[in-house]
Amino acid sequence: MGEASSARQGIELINLLDPELVFLDIEMPGNSGFDLLSELREIKFELIFVTAYNNYALRAFRFNALDYILKPIDIEELLISVDRATKTFG
């Protein structure tokens, strides 16, 4: 498990940890979440966007996002997303 405060750190953590699930914001310092995804050779994880911006949803789903959660986060919605993600792991 890890947390990054920039796209560059996110790329490093994803490459290091090889996660099954990534929560990703869109607007981040330096680059966007889309920039982060574009720099990866392969997306081998489930992806849930968590953002304050509703106008990027279509683009997010083009990256095969499992879900798109708007801030402020509704805990019930988050739990449903995580449950859906964990069902894909097995």
Side-chain angles (χ1 to χ4, degrees):
M1 183 192 302
E3 181 180 340
S5 59
S6 69
R8 178 62 39 214
Q9 287 178 348
I11 291 167
E12 291 171 6
L13 275 176
I14 289 168
N15 289 329
L16 176 69
L17 299 175
D18 192 27
E20 292 181 325
L21 176 62
V22 171
F23 293 92
L24 185 60
D25 201 345
I26 292 178
E27 298 284 333
M28 300 186 300
N31 294 324
S32 73
F34 298 121
D35 294 331
L36 179 154
L37 294 170
S38 294
E39 288 192 39
L40 296 172
R41 288 186 198 146
E42 186 175 15
I43 299 174
K44 304 183 298 184
F45 49 81
E46 295 298 330
L47 176 62
I48 298 174
F49 279 93
V50 181
T51 184
Y53 304 95
N54 64 357
N55 54 322
Y56 294 111
L58 181 59
R59 189 170 176 197
F61 287 110
R62 288 187 180 138
F63 280 95
N64 294 319
L66 183 67
D67 210 345
Y68 192 92
I69 300 174
L70 290 175
K71 296 177 186 176
I73 297 170
D74 177 303
I75 296 301
E76 188 64 32
E77 184 178 352
L78 177 63
L79 292 172
I80 291 168
S81 293
V82 171
D83 184 56
R84 186 178 319 139
T86 56
K87 289 178 181 172
T88 67
F89 299 150

